[in-house]
Amino acid sequence: MADKSVQKYTAPAGGWGALKSVTKSWIASEKPLKNLRAMLKTNQDHGFDCPGCAWGESPENGLVKFCENGAKAVNWESSGRQVGPAFFARYTVSKLLEHSDYWLEDQGRLSHPMQYDPATDKYTEISWDDAFALIAQHLKQLASPDQAEFYTSGRTSNEAAYLYQLFVRAFGTNNFPDCSNMCHEASGHAMKQSVGVGKGTVVFDDFAKADAIFVLGQNPGTNHPRMLEPLREAVERGAQVVCFNPLKERGLERFQHPQHPLEMLTNGDAPTNTAYFRPALGGDMAVMRGIAKCLLEWEREAQANNRPAIFDNDFIARHTNGIDDYLALVDATSWQDIVEQSGLSKDDIYLAASMYCRADRVIMCWAMGITQHKHSVAIIQEIINVQLLRGNVGKPGAGLSPVRGHSNVQGDRTMGIDEKPPQWLLDALEERFNFSVPREPGHNVVQAIQAMEQGRAKVFIGMGGNFAQATPDTPRTHAALKQCDLTVHISTKLNRSHLITGKAALILPCLGRTEADIQGGQPQGVTVEDTFSMVHISYGQLPPGSALLRSEPAIVAGMAKAVLGNHPVDWDALINDYSRIRELIADTIPGFTGFNEKLTQPGGFHLPNPASERTWRTADQKAGFAANPLPGQLLSAQLPAGETPDLILQTLRSHDQYNTTVYGLDDRYRGVFGQRYVVFVNPKDINRLGFSEGNKVDMISLWHDGRERRVEGFTLVAYDIPQGQAAAYFPEANGLVPLESYGDESFTPTSKYIAIKLIKAQPDNRIPVSQN
């Protein structure tokens, strides 16, 4: 077990710390030379797309085009260790459940298809044909196709996702819970309503043209490290980089570029912000409303004194609707409410507004610190409102940038992984494939868990990811999965979801993106779409970790053929040549005409974004100002009567993890080493609540339904966090998030705003599993 400690980390983001961490990961993979060669092919033309985050690529060529987390993702996926029949013969599922999530994935690559045997509580080997036959048996005996849930993670390629949605819709349901339901669902809802498209309106080059970049509720140093370079370059050329985050995240403070030899030799670094504001959790909408109120005040002063306008009135008149109702609401919102809810002073908001106002071209970026609140759709629409006031959508160097997480989470939605599919997609599928597509909306993640819990869903198939751990209300999710007649997980490495079995269960091992995919005697490439809507092709470089691994498209085709036969396509023919899958995508998905030809361009191609061209695909063909009032209170009215929380908790990632994959037990930038069961609390709050730093506490979330939601044995870490707030790691704290606590319209779990009580941990409390 690693030594546990808490030490203040004073170095910048990146730099020597990143190189040391990457080297440790590289050696631990047990294939260091092969993996080093593979890493040099990461994000290169005719190489493979990074299996980590969705951040886009700079257009120039370079020997090294990966970051610390990208290198860890490659090394983690390309482990020399294997998890096959011999491994599973040694352990019962009950015994494996005693180990931590980190230990489970660290055992190596899944190598054989496996079937759960309830009699022995062990997984045993099964052939691919028998596995597909078992899936077909369970799906065919359902009373309705809607009794099956088909989950997708953001690592799934465009080709696999397209085949998956085609198979599932031909089977007869739109039940597509997927990882976007838990991250940027609010972004899609808000942006479609306001500007007519649910994707970011900027491209990579816009960051070099922006006069100001606002970064809201995002920690790029851990979640998108390659974003640090354009932020630093923006500061160096005199642009404003304005950060809003309750925590002082190291990547938003200073960055040492590991690929700059002189800087590394001199141990230099450079800032990544020009201003840093620390709002209350959930207070970002009030911040944006305050900025709008400042702009309105200055616009009126400009009109009264015959000075140049603050608003882009020509843009507003030609391209927007709803300005009058919105400004009336801004007028009616008091500064007292804005200051109280935002957690910032009026002077701070005026300063942020002045930095925004002085910039002609502004990009606003956000991530899950914005999207995981009850009123997230309204927060994002307020961000859009502020951008519309000065015409900062649809011009170079300006726009809206929801920064996506996993590498193809955006592409999966483009391919049709959507529980509420647009009518044009259903019409196109019906016309091209000549079958009646299901038209009723399907289940998102929350609804899928509820359906399994209530016995309305009996089969769960997961295309990647770690559903049992990534979702809220962990014990309820686990119990819901156990209700299923069959659970199936298509994965590269062992994780806890494989151990939360239905009455029958399968583990189907798949190729990783780093591995060569040979079909029909030829190497096959798969494509992904990054956060800037650039589509790239990816060719694995390493030999497969096992001869029995199959590609995700091949596994989907195998399931589909077993269930549907050669309907509505010849599945085997598609797998023999993935260009045929791309031809079907080109036939049915806008922007993909000539798909295969476009992929010959180095760096891929950009999907059209109407909003970036000031074409608004809204009902009235205009961008809309959304007149949403500030929430009456951020603290949910659904707390138990008379209860007052000790703190408001947010969940977050450590620096050594990506989504639920934990690469190590250190959170270098926050100074936590060898442990994950910690809770960050302001020292004054620790004293106020009668504790001391280092005490062990249990956390209990407050919700009205009478269920106890408790996580145990967390160590108090005194931290520079605003008073009244706390932070703990995901997924260890996910059990505190009530399943019914989700965003309005989005159904996204409110993981950034959890009302909690702290109590002293009892000496006889069991050690949490993830500390073993």
Side-chain angles (χ1 to χ4, degrees), residues 621-640:
Q621 305 297 298
K622 300 272 190 167
F625 284 92
N628 298 309
L630 292 184
Q633 58 173 6
L634 291 176
L635 197 58
S636 174
Q638 302 204 45
L639 297 182

Side-chain angles (χ1 to χ4, degrees), residues 55 207 215 218 220 224-232 365 403:
W55 185 254
F207 282 82
V215 183
Q218 185 189 359
H224 314 90
R226 285 176 292 160
M227 186 177 177
L228 298 182
E229 186 173 6
L231 294 182
R232 173 177 136 151
C365 311
V403 181

Side-chain angles (χ1 to χ4, degrees), residues 300-524:
R300 286 171 175 164
E301 289 175 359
Q303 291 176 354
N305 295 286
N306 200 28
R307 295 199 300 263
I310 299 299
F311 293 171
D312 187 337
N313 290 303
D314 180 63
F315 171 85
I316 291 170
R318 293 177 57 197
H319 290 283
T320 73
N321 275 331
I323 183 70
D324 292 337
D325 288 345
Y326 173 64
L327 293 182
L329 186 63
V330 172
D331 255 339
T333 309
S334 72
W335 272 112
Q336 180 179 345
D337 288 345
I338 289 170
V339 169
E340 181 178 317
Q341 199 166 109
S342 71
L344 300 181
S345 70
K346 190 174 178 180
D347 286 345
D348 281 341
I349 295 173
Y350 265 94
L351 175 59
S354 68
M355 298 175 84
Y356 177 73
C357 192
R358 289 197 299 267
D360 290 329
R361 302 172 187 272
V362 181
I363 295 172
M364 288 207 178
C365 311
W366 66 89
M368 287 188 286
I370 297 298
T371 64
Q372 291 183 328
H373 293 278
K374 187 176 189 301
H375 61 303
S376 286
V377 170
I379 299 174
I380 296 162
Q381 288 183 327
E382 195 68 15
I383 293 169
I384 296 169
N385 290 340
V386 170
Q387 288 286 73
L388 294 178
L389 286 174
R390 286 182 53 80
N392 273 315
V393 181
K395 66 181 182 184
L400 306 166
S401 183
V403 181
R404 308 287 177 170
H406 220 151
S407 57
N408 199 40
V409 63
Q410 184 162 302
D412 288 349
R413 182 56 57 90
T414 301
M415 292 296 106
I417 301 296
D418 191 343
E419 79 279 2
K420 293 182 178 178
Q423 290 304 305
W424 64 258
L425 172 63
L426 299 181
D427 292 343
L429 293 174
E430 201 162 87
E431 180 179 351
R432 176 63 181 80
F433 298 106
N434 195 31
F435 69 91
S436 295
V437 299
R439 298 277 173 170
E440 290 297 311
H443 295 155
N444 56 38
V445 163
V446 168
Q447 293 165 333
I449 295 169
Q450 291 170 334
M452 290 186 286
E453 185 176 52
Q454 296 162 14
R456 293 183 288 110
K458 299 180 180 299
V459 173
F460 175 90
I461 298 178
M463 177 73 75
N466 187 356
F467 186 87
Q469 296 300 88
T471 44
D473 228 339
T474 308
R476 283 179 71 185
T477 297
H478 287 194
L481 285 165
K482 290 177 181 179
Q483 288 276 97
C484 291
D485 292 334
L486 175 68
T487 53
V488 180
H489 295 281
I490 300 162
S491 305
T492 57
K493 302 188 81 174
L494 184 66
N495 65 49
R496 192 163 303 278
S497 290
H498 306 141
L499 312 178
I500 311 300
T501 66
K503 298 176 182 68
L506 292 169
I507 302 172
L508 304 182
C510 66
L511 293 171
R513 202 174 296 160
T514 58
E515 292 167 311
D517 181 0
I518 307 298
Q519 308 287 346
Q522 296 296 319
Q524 304 294 325

Side-chain angles (χ1 to χ4, degrees), residues 444-649:
N444 56 38
V445 163
V446 168
Q447 293 165 333
I449 295 169
Q450 291 170 334
M452 290 186 286
E453 185 176 52
Q454 296 162 14
R456 293 183 288 110
K458 299 180 180 299
V459 173
F460 175 90
I461 298 178
M463 177 73 75
N466 187 356
F467 186 87
Q469 296 300 88
T471 44
D473 228 339
T474 308
R476 283 179 71 185
T477 297
H478 287 194
L481 285 165
K482 290 177 181 179
Q483 288 276 97
C484 291
D485 292 334
L486 175 68
T487 53
V488 180
H489 295 281
I490 300 162
S491 305
T492 57
K493 302 188 81 174
L494 184 66
N495 65 49
R496 192 163 303 278
S497 290
H498 306 141
L499 312 178
I500 311 300
T501 66
K503 298 176 182 68
L506 292 169
I507 302 172
L508 304 182
C510 66
L511 293 171
R513 202 174 296 160
T514 58
E515 292 167 311
D517 181 0
I518 307 298
Q519 308 287 346
Q522 296 296 319
Q524 304 294 325
V526 294
T527 59
V528 297
E529 178 187 345
D530 68 26
T531 200
F532 303 124
S533 298
M534 291 293 297
V535 178
H536 318 262
I537 193 162
S538 179
Y539 289 94
Q541 303 295 307
L542 298 172
S546 161
L548 287 176
L549 299 184
R550 293 197 180 184
S551 71
E552 286 180 326
I555 294 172
V556 173
M559 292 190 296
K561 185 176 180 181
V563 176
L564 303 173
N566 280 326
H567 169 76
V569 292
D570 182 338
W571 301 99
D572 291 333
L574 295 179
I575 297 309
N576 281 336
D577 184 351
Y578 292 178
S579 69
R580 295 169 184 164
I581 305 173
R582 291 189 283 272
E583 288 170 0
L584 298 179
I585 294 170
D587 287 346
T588 49
I589 307 289
F592 286 88
T593 302
F595 192 179
N596 285 305
E597 292 75 21
K598 288 179 178 178
L599 290 174
T600 61
Q601 304 170 135
F605 66 95
H606 184 250
L607 290 175
N609 186 307
S612 68
E613 303 295 328
R614 296 188 169 177
T615 297
W616 318 103
R617 297 284 174 84
T618 57
D620 59 11
Q621 305 297 298
K622 300 272 190 167
F625 284 92
N628 298 309
L630 292 184
Q633 58 173 6
L634 291 176
L635 197 58
S636 174
Q638 302 204 45
L639 297 182
E643 287 277 16
T644 302
D646 291 336
L647 298 164
I648 302 298
L649 175 79

Side-chain angles (χ1 to χ4, degrees), residues 371 711 762:
T371 64
V711 295
Q762 298 303 309

